[in-house]
């Protein structure tokens, strides 16, 4: 024991273990990709010693809701994420995944598939290919993947504007089984989106059963997050009950002024459903949503900002009010003219956002859109904003609780083993940050500003972010079911 030499020794930090335990002073020793010692290690030897005085040492954050499917190959440093302390991302959310879709030369990805990238991005005929690509050219963070039901429908149906026939359901089941056999975590739906919205409850249940057979999970961007949110939640819970699969409500919110204040009721419904089967939820810390351009969402939004547009690229970053004025038409018409494109929609109340963030089963997921020209600030700011703004400045929960929501809670719902906590034997995914300065810096006007206060980020025992710099280490691995 005396001769032990750690690869990395983190000294004199305040440890928050991710499990909700109050912080305590401790050192932490890493060997290869694992945490091997926690305690008083002041006389231990190490190849690299990091002084963590006045810093919090916590498990790396798990971003459970991302659309980083393509970012992991195009910016392997994963700077929007590592600069926030994120060490693992889950891709394939909202019914949208890169695999197993191949698009012919004359085809463009139908919305919302286009938010992941253009036609050249769709080059993974199977999830095994997608996983192999991660293993061959790994990013800086770990990656878990879901199969998107919208994508499975595009692959299996000649026309997605109707419920699937039984032969088409067979095909989707086959494709989903391939994903699960390749280490997929489960299935996601995006039931507001064109390719996915004609899926019936029976179809979703039949396909999801395959994920349940493999002990996977079901995440859902529900059919409605406004007026008919209760019916949409009922549908999600029914799928959970029928298949015995854990259900995760994605980016939970109550959209539109007439639905402000309904979160008390929706969270009550989640609590009730939880008595029957496993239900969880994720959320991001902002009152504005963001997705592709959907003209019907304009009417329920107080403000709309265009994040990208193929037809009018110069309008990226501009308010729809301004654009409609320039185009001399109604806002809905202007929005329609900008498709294909993306937008930010201001349509939530601050008190609902806080209410939802505070729920003990709410995980943090950025829902960031890295392909957007002028993205929603959540892409670069989500995790430091929850810690700096909501935990420290406003005090809606303790720092320990904030960390639990981005680490152990997420690992447990997504069945990720040996991550999301600082315990001996766990993978060495670790973040060091200053609790007095941590803060999101990205804004709606300047959305790509890296957060402040994140000092060091370690993934599988290797430093991937160091005092503002990303370096050349790419130690991420696929998080396999
Ligand atoms: Zn979504």
């Amino acid at each position: 024991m005396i001769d032990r030499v750690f690869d990395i020794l983190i000294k004199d930090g305040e440890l928050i273990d991710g499990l909700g335990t109050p912080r305590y002073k401790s050192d932490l020793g890493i060997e290869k990709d694992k945490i091997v010692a926690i305690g008083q290690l002041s006389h231990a030897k190490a190849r690299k010693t990091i002084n963590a005085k006045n810093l919090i040492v916590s498990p790396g954050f798990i971003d459970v809701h991302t659309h980083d499917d393509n970012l992991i190959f195009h910016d392997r440093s994963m700077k929007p994420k590592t600069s926030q302390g994120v060490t693992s991302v889950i891709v394939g959310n909202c019914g949208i995944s890169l695999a197993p879709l191949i698009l012919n030369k004359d085809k463009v990805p139908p919305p919302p598939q286009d938010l992941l990238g253009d036609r050249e991005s769709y080059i993974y005929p199977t999830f095994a290919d997608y996983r192999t690509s991660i293993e061959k050219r790994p990013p800086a963070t770990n990656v878990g993947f879901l199969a998107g039901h919208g994508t499975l429908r595009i692959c299996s149906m000649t026309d997605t504007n109707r419920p699937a026939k039984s032969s088409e359901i067979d095909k989707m089941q086959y494709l989903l089984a391939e994903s699960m056999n390749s280490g997929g975590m489960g299935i996601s739906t995006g039931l507001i989106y064109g390719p996915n919205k004609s899926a019936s409850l029976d179809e979703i249940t039949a396909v999801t059963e395959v994920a349940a057979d493999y002990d996977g999970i079901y995440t859902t961007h529900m059919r409605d997050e406004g007026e008919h949110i209760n019916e949409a939640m009922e549908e999600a819970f029914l799928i959970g009950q029928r298949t015995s699969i854990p259900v995760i409500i994605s980016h939970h919110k109550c959209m539109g002024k007439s639905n402000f204040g309904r979160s008390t009721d929706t969270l009550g419904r989640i609590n009730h459903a939880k008595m029957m089967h496993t239900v969880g939820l994720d959320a991001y810390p902002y009152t504005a949503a963001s997705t592709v351009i959907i003209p019907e969402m304009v009417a329920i939004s107080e403000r709309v900002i265009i994040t990208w547009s193929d037809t009018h690229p110069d309008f990226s970053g501009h308010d729809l009010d301004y654009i409609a004025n320039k185009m001399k038409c109604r806002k809905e018409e202007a929005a329609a003219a900008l498709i294909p494109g993306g937008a930010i929609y201001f349509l939530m109340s601050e008190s609902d956002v806080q209410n939802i963030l505070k729920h003990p089963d709410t995980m943090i997921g950025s829902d960031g859109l890295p392909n957007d020209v002028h993205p929603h600030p959540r892409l670069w700011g989500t995790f430091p904003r929850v810690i700096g703004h909501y935990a420290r400045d406003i005090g809606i929960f303790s720092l320990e609780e904030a960390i639990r929501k981005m680490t152990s809670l997420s690992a447990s719902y997504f069945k990720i083993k040996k991550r999301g906590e600082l315990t001996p034997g766990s993978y060495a995914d670790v973040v060091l940050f200053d609790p007095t300065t941590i803060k999101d810096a990205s804004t709606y006007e300047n959305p790509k500003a890296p957060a402040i206060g994140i000092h060091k980020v370690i993934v599988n025992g290797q430093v991937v972010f160091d005092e503002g710099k990303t370096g050349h280490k790419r130690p991420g691995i696929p998080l396999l079911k």
Side-chain angles (χ1 to χ4, degrees), residues 65 67 94 193 221 250-251 367:
H65 192 106
H67 295 285
C94 300
Y193 296 121
H221 178 154
S250 294
H251 44 57
D367 201 7

Side-chain angles (χ1 to χ4, degrees), residues 276-291:
M276 269 82 78
H277 61 274
T278 307
V279 181
L281 64 159
D282 63 71
Y284 48 80
Y286 297 88
T287 55
S290 185
T291 181

Side-chain angles (χ1 to χ4, degrees), residues 52-336:
K53 202 167 171 39
N54 300 323
L55 299 181
I56 296 288
V57 180
S58 100
F61 309 143
I62 301 170
D63 191 347
V64 294
H65 192 106
T66 86
H67 295 285
D68 294 342
D69 309 51
N70 208 13
L71 181 73
I72 59 172
F73 303 120
H74 285 194
D75 178 5
R76 293 166 60 223
S77 77
M78 296 293 283
K79 194 170 183 189
K81 298 303 164 81
T82 54
S83 62
Q84 294 183 60
V86 169
T87 55
S88 294
V89 299
I90 311 297
V91 304
N93 278 286
C94 300
I96 315 161
S97 53
L98 267 192
L101 182 60
I102 296 288
L103 290 168
N104 294 333
K105 278 216 163 59
D106 55 332
K107 282 259 172 70
V108 290
Q113 296 288 145
D114 54 357
L115 65 76
L116 295 182
D118 55 16
R119 188 187 60 79
E120 279 81 37
S121 312
Y122 286 87
I123 52 171
Y124 308 98
T126 64
F127 283 93
D129 288 307
Y130 186 71
R131 168 187 163 178
T132 306
S133 295
I134 298 171
E135 286 164 341
K136 277 193 185 145
R137 299 187 72 240
T141 64
N142 304 305
V143 184
F145 58 89
L146 299 158
H149 186 204
T151 310
L152 299 184
R153 295 186 107 238
I154 295 168
C155 296
S156 310
M157 302 173 71
T158 45
D159 172 15
T160 54
N161 294 313
R162 53 165 174 78
K165 298 173 193 160
S166 74
S167 60
E168 293 162 338
I169 292 176
D170 288 349
K171 175 92 190 280
M172 286 188 254
Q173 289 175 327
Y174 171 82
L175 295 173
L176 181 56
E178 191 277 323
S179 174
M180 300 307 291
N181 280 323
S182 305
M185 290 181 153
I187 182 168
S188 74
T189 52
L191 298 172
I192 65 153
Y193 296 121
N196 212 165
K197 71 172 159 201
S198 301
S200 66
L201 173 62
D202 286 343
E203 175 191 326
I204 303 166
T205 305
V207 178
T208 298
E209 248 158 23
V210 174
D213 286 346
Y214 285 83
D215 201 24
I217 57 168
Y218 174 73
T219 75
T220 179
H221 178 154
M222 298 187 298
R223 217 175 274 283
D224 196 296
E225 297 176 294
E227 198 188 336
H228 301 291
I229 192 168
N230 289 350
E231 293 89 321
M233 292 179 88
E234 269 327 299
E235 182 183 48
F237 299 151
L238 264 177
I239 291 157
Q241 279 167 27
R242 287 188 182 181
T243 61
S244 303
I245 201 165
V247 172
I248 311 291
I249 309 283
S250 294
H251 44 57
H252 185 40
K253 64 174 87 67
C254 300
M255 287 187 348
K257 227 178 195 149
S258 58
N259 298 301
F260 286 2
R262 288 181 70 183
S263 62
T264 307
D265 179 53
T266 59
L267 294 172
R269 285 167 190 271
I270 289 173
N271 292 340
H272 186 256
K274 262 190 69 184
M275 296 194 284
M276 269 82 78
H277 61 274
T278 307
V279 181
L281 64 159
D282 63 71
Y284 48 80
Y286 297 88
T287 55
S290 185
T291 181
V292 288
I293 295 175
I294 302 173
E296 300 83 68
M297 282 176 74
V298 171
I300 57 163
S301 302
E302 286 168 45
R303 180 186 171 195
V304 176
I305 304 171
I306 297 302
T307 56
W308 64 280
S309 164
D310 270 359
T311 59
H312 296 78
D314 293 350
F315 284 144
S316 302
H318 284 283
D319 270 53
L320 189 60
D321 265 338
Y322 164 85
I323 298 167
N325 228 324
K326 279 253 162 191
M327 293 171 90
K328 297 189 173 45
C329 64
R330 289 172 52 240
K331 282 192 283 185
E332 282 81 355
E333 289 163 349

